[in-house]
């Protein structure tokens, strides 16, 4: 080989090597959330993205699109199934359209506190529900927290069950939630959270129900006067991956994603709990906040007994037994 030819071969090899490294480094996943950057759903998503990138030495990048810019939870979950999005974090209430058994998580007045919810969801009962999405082109990785849901409205404080009578309350697009609010005497109006601010501003609905973190992040305090601490249901989110994306990874990468998901879960829950506590005092300065007595919450629970029974009977009997044993 002449010097010139040698130089050419070396530089070609170098170029090939660069291409090989670059090709390996080019996994970019897209992740969509429905809530703003300050909400623990998106904080958790960013933490997950950071952990995946760090642990893969930059080989896998996760780009987070927050605040519903890619669509609502229902759309984004379908995008995962069709392979046009890689990760999202819908409520279990949204996932009930794929497997109605997810409604077991949303049944009202069943968890004492977040630690109680963690124990049930991280245990066998919760894991079995996650695995039920395996045949739906989805890989459900972990439960994150949205939190205990409370009612807000623009008309009156809710101190008794009767105060709910006739209020137009937006609910998630979920049959259980619709029946729950109708069962409490409200007129349930299902719609996506993305349309909710305007619906309350224009008085199309009187109110809604969500954890403090959502009420704050979506600035509902600007269009709602009363916040009544009903804590009527606990809402879990689920970190879900598209099956197509997970299959495109090699085993080590899949493991890395699972470990990052677990670590991000602990961070996400911590953020959610700290913020829910902190934000209550912030919201007290912006809205008329009232505690709902436990005796009234008990009356609400009793009024909902037929709805709870009807929806429980509609679920898989084994799932119900496993879940109720874990409670
Ligand atoms: O009210 C809703 O739609 C839900 O609480 C949430 C988390 C904002 C969207 O899934």
């Amino acid at each position: 080989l002449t010097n010139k030819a040698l130089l050419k071969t070396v530089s070609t090899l170098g170029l090939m090597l660069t291409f090989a490294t670059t090709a390996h480094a080019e996994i970019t996943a897209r992740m969509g959330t429905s809530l703003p950057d300050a909400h623990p759903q998106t904080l958790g998503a960013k933490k997950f993205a950071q952990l995946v990138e760090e642990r893969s030495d930059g080989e896998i990048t996760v780009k987070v699109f927050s605040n519903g810019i890619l669509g609502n939870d229902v759309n984004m979950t379908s995008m995962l199934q069709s392979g046009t999005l890689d990760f999202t974090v819908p409520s279990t209430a949204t996932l009930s359209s794929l497997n109605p058994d997810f409604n077991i998580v949303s049944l009202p007045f069943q968890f004492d506190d977040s630690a109680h919810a963690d124990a049930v969801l991280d245990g066998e009962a919760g894991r079995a529900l996650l695995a039920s999405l395996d045949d739906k082109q989805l890989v459900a990785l972990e439960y994150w927290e949205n939190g205990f849901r409370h009612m807000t409205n623009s008309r009156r404080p809710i101190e008794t069950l009767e105060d709910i009578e006739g209020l137009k309350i937006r609910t998630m697009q979920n049959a259980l939630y619709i029946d729950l609010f109708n069962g409490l005497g409200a007129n349930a109006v299902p719609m996506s959270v993305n349309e909710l601010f305007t619906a309350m501003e224009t008085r199309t609905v009187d109110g809604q129900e969500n954890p403090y973190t959502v009420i704050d992040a979506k600035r509902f305090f600007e269009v709602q006067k009363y916040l009544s601490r009903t804590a009527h249901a606990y809402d879990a989110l689920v970190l879900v991956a598209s099956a197509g994306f997970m299959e495109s990874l090699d085993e080590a990468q899949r493991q890395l994603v699972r470990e990052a998901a677990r670590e991000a879960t602990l961070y996400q829950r911590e953020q959610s709990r700290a913020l829910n506590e902190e934000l209550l005092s912030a919201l007290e300065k912006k809205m008329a906040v009232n505690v709902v007595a436990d005796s009234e919450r008990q009356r609400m629970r009793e009024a909902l007994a037929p709805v709870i029974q009807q929806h429980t009977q509609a679920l898989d009997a084994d799932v119900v037994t496993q879940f109720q044993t874990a409670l």
Side-chain angles (χ1 to χ4, degrees):
L1 281 177
T2 62
N3 272 355
K4 207 172 158 196
L6 194 64
L7 215 67
K8 207 172 158 200
T9 315
V10 168
S11 80
T12 311
L13 276 175
L15 211 63
M16 280 165 67
L17 208 64
T18 314
F19 272 132
T21 329
T22 321
H24 208 52
E26 262 179 18
I27 301 175
T28 303
R30 300 191 324 142
M31 177 164 192
T33 67
S34 55
L35 292 166
D37 288 7
H39 187 276
Q41 185 198 44
T42 306
L43 294 176
K46 292 200 167 161
K47 182 71 173 182
F48 171 64
Q50 178 204 330
L51 290 170
V52 169
E53 192 162 340
E54 271 170 22
R55 291 190 180 170
S56 66
D57 283 328
E59 203 177 283
I60 310 173
T61 307
V62 181
K63 276 195 183 162
V64 178
F65 298 86
S66 62
N67 210 12
I69 53 171
L70 296 184
N72 61 36
D73 283 335
V74 177
N75 310 142
M76 288 192 286
T77 307
S78 310
M79 287 166 77
L80 249 59
Q81 292 179 295
S82 62
T84 50
L85 184 66
D86 304 305
F87 295 97
T88 191
V89 202
S91 161
T92 50
T94 304
L95 291 172
S96 72
S97 64
L98 296 173
N99 174 9
D101 292 340
F102 271 99
N103 271 337
I104 191 96
V105 181
S106 310
L107 289 177
F109 302 107
Q110 77 179 341
F111 291 115
D112 303 332
D113 49 33
S114 294
H116 186 201
D118 287 355
V120 176
L121 297 173
D122 287 345
E124 257 180 68
R127 293 274 148 204
L129 271 179
L130 296 185
S132 75
L133 295 181
D134 286 357
D135 61 0
K136 304 264 188 285
Q137 296 305 312
L138 298 171
V139 178
L141 295 165
E142 294 286 343
Y143 289 98
W144 287 5
E145 179 174 271
N146 193 20
F148 283 93
R149 303 180 75 94
H150 305 274
M151 293 181 72
T152 69
N153 81 93
S154 53
R155 297 203 177 263
R156 53 184 176 260
I158 292 159
E159 274 155 359
T160 66
L161 170 62
E162 287 69 23
D163 291 329
I164 302 176
E165 188 68 40
L167 289 176
K168 278 185 273 168
I169 300 294
R170 172 272 175 177
T171 67
M172 288 187 275
Q173 295 146 302
N174 165 292
L176 169 63
Y177 269 92
I178 297 171
D179 290 350
L180 285 184
F181 280 87
N182 288 332
L184 289 171
N187 296 322
V189 184
M191 70 174 73
S192 145
V193 75
N194 298 351
E195 297 156 35
L196 180 52
F197 186 95
T198 310
M200 293 192 293
E201 191 175 35
T202 57
R203 302 267 181 145
T204 308
V205 295
D206 299 314
Q208 62 86 47
E209 45 83 50
N210 251 303
Y212 307 135
T213 46
V214 178
I215 297 167
D216 182 77
K218 299 287 284 179
R219 305 186 70 80
F220 292 159
F221 53 80
E222 289 179 2
V223 286
Q224 295 277 274
K225 184 156 178 201
Y226 302 102
L227 165 55
S228 304
R229 299 174 59 190
T230 45
H232 50 272
Y234 178 81
D235 193 25
L237 306 171
V238 180
L239 170 58
V240 198
S242 112
F245 176 76
M246 291 300 274
E247 279 156 22
S248 75
L249 301 178
D250 65 33
E251 192 43 44
Q253 290 167 327
R254 265 196 293 276
Q255 184 60 19
L256 178 156
V257 167
R258 286 188 179 279
E259 281 168 14
R262 185 66 205 156
E263 199 173 320
T265 298
L266 304 181
Y267 170 86
Q268 194 279 338
R269 289 177 180 172
E270 225 175 80
Q271 292 295 312
S272 171
R273 281 149 210 184
L275 270 172
N276 263 313
E277 228 178 276
E278 209 178 281
L279 289 174
L280 175 60
S281 14
L283 288 170
E284 275 168 343
K285 299 192 180 81
K286 297 171 184 157
M287 305 173 82
V289 179
N290 70 285
V291 175
V292 181
D294 280 342
S295 54
E296 262 329 292
R297 294 179 64 244
Q298 183 56 29
R299 286 187 67 225
M300 292 175 190
R301 184 180 194 161
E302 281 157 18
L304 290 174
V307 174
I308 296 175
Q309 196 192 10
Q310 179 210 329
H311 278 274
T312 309
Q313 275 168 0
L315 308 179
D316 181 282
D318 291 340
V319 170
V320 174
T321 311
Q322 195 182 25
F323 205 87
Q324 286 178 345
T325 312
L327 273 174

